[in-house]
Amino acid sequence: MRTTHAFACTFGATMITPHQTRFRLWAPSCDTVDLEIEGAAPIAMTRQPDGAFEIVAPCGAGARYRYRVRPDLAVADPASRAQPDDVFGPSMVVDPRAYAWTVNDWCGMPWERTVIYEIHVGIAGGFQGVRARLSQLAALGITAVQLMPLSEFPGGRNWGYDGVLPYAPESSYGTPEDLKALIDHAHGLGMMVFLDVVYNHFGPDGNFLSAYAAPFFRSDRPTPWGEAIDFRQPAVRTYFTENALYWLMEYRFDGLRLDAVHAIADRDWLVELAARLRARTEAGRHVHLILENENNDAGLLQSGFDAQWNDDGHNALHVLLTGEDEGYYRNFSDDPTAHLARVLGQGFAFQGEVFPTLKRPRGMPSGSLPPSAFILFLQNHDQIGNRALGDRLTVLADPRALRAAYGLLLLSPQIPLLFMGEEWGSRRPFLFFTSHSPHLGQIVRDGRRREFAAFAYFSDPARREQIPDPNQPETFAASVPNAREAAGPAGRGWQDLFATLLRLRRHHVVPRLRGARGLGAQPIGPAAVAARWRMGDGAVLAIALNLGEGVVPLPDWVAGTVLFDGSPADGSPVTPVPLQRDLDPYSVTVRLLEVAHG
């Protein structure tokens, strides 16, 4: 039986029959709107009471069209399903039922099994390039691939956060069918696929909403990207809620990561969104919702969202690994070990205390949340790419310390996230890159260089000139992973380490993760911390990490069978070994004290 999936959107082009399509545009600032289909005469659309314009036209899949919203302005469809000629070209009618899915019994997997691998589709070779990598990632132990934003952006090189057409998969990466084939293939391998979505702003180039839908934005709420999106408007809520449903239902993504929700003024919409998504997806299907939220809003993690990126955990670990104390790392450099202990014991490091660089309280209590409500990472696109030179921890940290930190990352009860190339210890940078117009590209380049003037190393103007120009093709090319790194001895060594740790996680942590709760964490040395958790089956998992140069005595409560002690070759099978009472420099020990049954 041929299985297809289509989501009926309120806005955009919806095929009714193979030769009839309904077009609907919310344009409350317009008195008239014409539909312009290539090769046909313009058609006047009918204005609806809610400010939308609608028409059914005699065309089908492949038809290219624009909306004439002013005599001098014809725009792409803001709910376009495809933009073959980029953001300034015409939109294209898509038949979502053209793709026949091959994996029809996939329901996802429980959140506790999640190991996330974040990937930029462009530098991975487009949708087909990502698809080709999936079997290797599955063999390593990755259970979820998270794609950086895919919404159509100007040009072919961008992180994706400059998207302006949220429903259209980026055309430089491949077709809608290519994206569906990627997801279909992942499901066949037993892997989930998550999508990073941006609902807090539009990119600076190619967004014309204000010309025909001025109420889409609110001037009283400035953001780093301009006027805030006005989620008080029902049409705006519908536009973004349906976008989320579209990705989940039509493309069969297994979850969404919502970018920078602290920039969304109407918090109630987030709660409403989670409820709507839970209600509309099929019974028995696992769909996961992830937040990026500088506010450390624990309440949202009790209102339908599964987890939040734990930037506090990253920042504390980064300070311990590198000694850096500029920028936002200043907030954690006073006592990074204490911050890390709080992260491991309670989730957030800042739970209402004053955040030094903001000079105001940040966060709320999070100790009642399970550890799986937090996603821990050592690197991601932001933490690498927002550095001036895009340098990774492999060139910043002692490799011994970095190996030990991975023991904590991959065996703690928090959900781990890796960034592409991390699994083979890539030393290639991941830089910030764009493909804007020359004028906008220069603004971005100069602004980025000014931003780094506050850092000691780049206080010299000559050094700032060395920061790569995001708009140059060479900057993108320098970020493409080097497969030869993965194949070399060092790359194979890193992959062996990751395979060992993920195998241990799968066998000893994941089965016990549901119902796990923190039992406390504390600093045990200048750069060392120990933590333990009561797992769902009653066993106690303890991890002690020493990122410093000196030997550290272990507390008596770090007890049990050794799962991992930092050696890349150990871990399978787990066997009792004499318990050391000291923790060597740059080392980790992970122990499991199981409960007796019967």
Side-chain angles (χ1 to χ4, degrees):
M1 180 178 176
R2 190 175 187 273
T3 301
T4 62
H5 295 283
F7 179 73
C9 299
T10 298
F11 303 111
T14 302
M15 288 182 59
I16 301 171
T17 71
H19 305 291
Q20 279 192 315
T21 301
R22 186 205 69 188
F23 296 86
R24 198 166 194 272
L25 172 73
W26 191 59
S29 303
C30 295
D31 294 323
T32 62
V33 174
D34 287 347
L35 172 67
E36 297 182 346
I37 301 172
E38 289 190 350
I43 307 171
M45 301 179 73
T46 303
R47 199 180 205 279
Q48 306 295 314
D50 63 353
F53 288 78
E54 187 172 335
I55 193 72
V56 174
C59 65
R64 301 195 180 200
Y65 67 99
R66 287 186 172 95
Y67 297 119
R68 176 71 57 179
V69 295
R70 288 194 323 234
D72 62 341
L73 181 62
V75 299
D77 189 341
S80 168
R81 277 178 158 92
Q83 288 293 124
D85 300 315
D86 208 1
V87 297
F88 297 105
S91 302
M92 186 174 78
V93 176
V94 170
D95 180 2
R97 298 192 184 278
Y99 182 81
W101 292 78
T102 62
V103 180
N104 299 316
D105 57 353
W106 175 257
C107 295
M109 61 179 65
W111 178 244
E112 290 79 13
R113 293 178 58 188
T114 304
V115 176
I116 304 173
Y117 185 90
E118 188 188 21
I119 191 164
H120 184 279
V121 176
I123 65 172
F127 298 136
Q128 293 183 3
V130 174
R131 180 181 175 183
R133 290 280 323 278
L134 293 179
S135 59
Q136 291 177 303
L137 296 175
L140 186 68
I142 301 298
T143 64
V145 172
Q146 180 175 300
L147 308 181
M148 288 177 65
L150 301 176
S151 298
E152 190 75 35
F153 51 74
R157 305 182 307 276
N158 200 286
W159 276 13
Y161 300 94
D162 288 330
V164 295
L165 298 171
Y167 287 74
E170 169 56 34
S171 55
S172 68
Y173 296 166
T175 66
E177 290 73 26
D178 290 334
L179 175 55
K180 291 176 182 179
L182 184 167
I183 297 167
D184 203 9
H185 184 64
H187 292 169
L189 293 170
M191 298 179 72
M192 298 183 287
V193 186
F194 301 157
L195 178 62
D196 194 340
V197 292
V198 183
Y199 295 155
N200 56 74
H201 76 284
F202 292 90
D205 201 13
N207 171 32
F208 296 99
L209 276 163
S210 59
Y212 56 88
F216 211 100
F217 304 97
R218 52 188 300 183
S219 59
D220 62 327
R221 291 274 188 167
T223 77
W225 308 283
E227 293 182 345
I229 294 170
D230 193 351
F231 283 92
R232 298 171 302 178
Q233 300 287 340
V236 173
R237 291 192 173 212
T238 297
Y239 178 80
F240 286 109
T241 299
E242 290 192 353
N243 180 259
L245 284 166
Y246 162 78
W247 291 121
L248 295 173
M249 305 300 284
E250 189 163 302
Y251 280 84
R252 313 305 291 172
F253 278 98
D254 299 284
L256 304 174
R257 182 258 193 192
L258 277 66
D259 176 67
V261 300
H262 48 269
I264 296 175
D266 300 278
R267 180 184 181 276
D268 68 299
W269 176 72
L270 294 169
V271 177
E272 175 187 300
L273 173 68
R276 289 282 305 278
L277 300 185
R278 301 295 183 196
R280 290 289 300 275
T281 50
E282 303 93 331
R285 184 178 169 200
H286 296 283
V287 168
H288 305 301
L289 303 177
I290 301 165
L291 296 171
E292 180 193 28
N293 189 356
E294 288 183 2
N295 293 335
N296 282 2
D297 186 342
L300 287 175
L301 298 175
Q302 298 168 321
S303 302
F305 291 92
D306 293 276
Q308 178 180 314
W309 277 25
N310 199 341
D311 287 292
D312 285 3
H314 164 272
N315 295 345
L317 280 163
H318 188 92
V319 171
L320 287 168
L321 286 166
T322 67
E324 293 182 352
D325 61 358
E326 293 188 286
Y328 47 72
Y329 295 129
R330 189 180 310 126
N331 299 296
F332 297 83
S333 61
D334 58 331
D335 194 346
T337 310
H339 288 303
L340 179 58
R342 198 175 199 202
V343 162
L344 297 176
Q346 301 179 32
F348 295 135
F350 284 86
Q351 301 179 30
E353 296 80 11
V354 172
F355 201 59
T357 55
L358 296 178
K359 297 183 172 57
R360 60 173 172 79
R362 172 174 175 257
M364 60 179 63
S366 57
S368 64
L369 294 168
S372 58
F374 304 92
I375 296 171
L376 191 60
F377 44 86
L378 294 179
Q379 303 182 82
N380 63 31
H381 75 272
D382 269 331
Q383 306 298 350
I384 305 172
N386 282 333
R387 300 178 64 84
L389 302 178
D391 27 26
R392 296 175 182 251
L393 283 175
T394 41
V395 300
L396 297 172
D398 187 304
R400 298 170 297 172
L402 191 53
R403 286 180 177 272
Y406 280 122
L408 170 69
L409 172 67
L410 296 178
L411 294 179
S412 90
Q414 296 193 17
I415 300 298
L417 178 144
L418 302 171
F419 184 71
M420 61 186 305
E422 198 169 353
E423 76 276 22
W424 70 71
S426 177
R427 298 177 67 86
R428 297 272 288 191
F430 179 72
L431 297 161
F432 180 68
F433 46 79
T434 60
S435 50
H436 291 310
S437 65
H439 174 69
L440 182 56
Q442 181 176 341
I443 293 173
V444 171
R445 180 200 66 197
D446 294 346
R448 186 169 174 82
R449 289 176 177 174
R450 283 195 302 271
E451 178 185 342
F452 285 104
F455 290 78
Y457 183 83
F458 293 105
S459 60
D460 179 354
R463 283 181 173 167
R464 290 201 297 277
E465 291 299 313
Q466 298 171 6
I467 297 174
D469 181 348
N471 226 41
Q472 290 300 312
E474 296 80 17
T475 303
F476 173 87
S479 302
V480 175
N482 185 346
R484 286 176 295 182
E485 282 185 321
R492 292 195 300 271
W494 281 109
Q495 289 173 85
D496 288 344
L497 173 67
F498 279 88
T500 294
L501 289 169
L502 289 175
R503 183 171 61 250
L504 288 170
R505 181 178 187 85
R506 183 168 63 253
H507 291 323
H508 300 286
V509 179
V510 169
R512 301 177 165 94
L513 195 49
R514 184 177 292 274
R517 289 292 183 270
L519 291 176
Q522 65 188 52
I524 58 173
V529 63
R532 61 179 179 164
W533 299 265
R534 176 76 65 185
M535 305 304 285
D537 65 348
V540 174
L541 177 71
I543 301 180
L545 173 70
N546 182 12
L547 298 179
E549 298 178 349
V551 174
V552 174
L554 283 172
D556 291 339
W557 50 264
V558 178
T561 300
V562 174
L563 297 185
F564 184 76
D565 66 1
S567 170
D570 68 2
S572 181
V574 175
T575 55
V577 298
L579 292 183
Q580 294 182 331
R581 299 317 311 167
D582 291 324
L583 193 59
D584 291 334
Y586 309 117
S587 67
V588 65
T589 185
V590 182
R591 302 181 182 184
L592 184 70
L593 184 62
E594 300 189 64
V595 292
H597 294 287

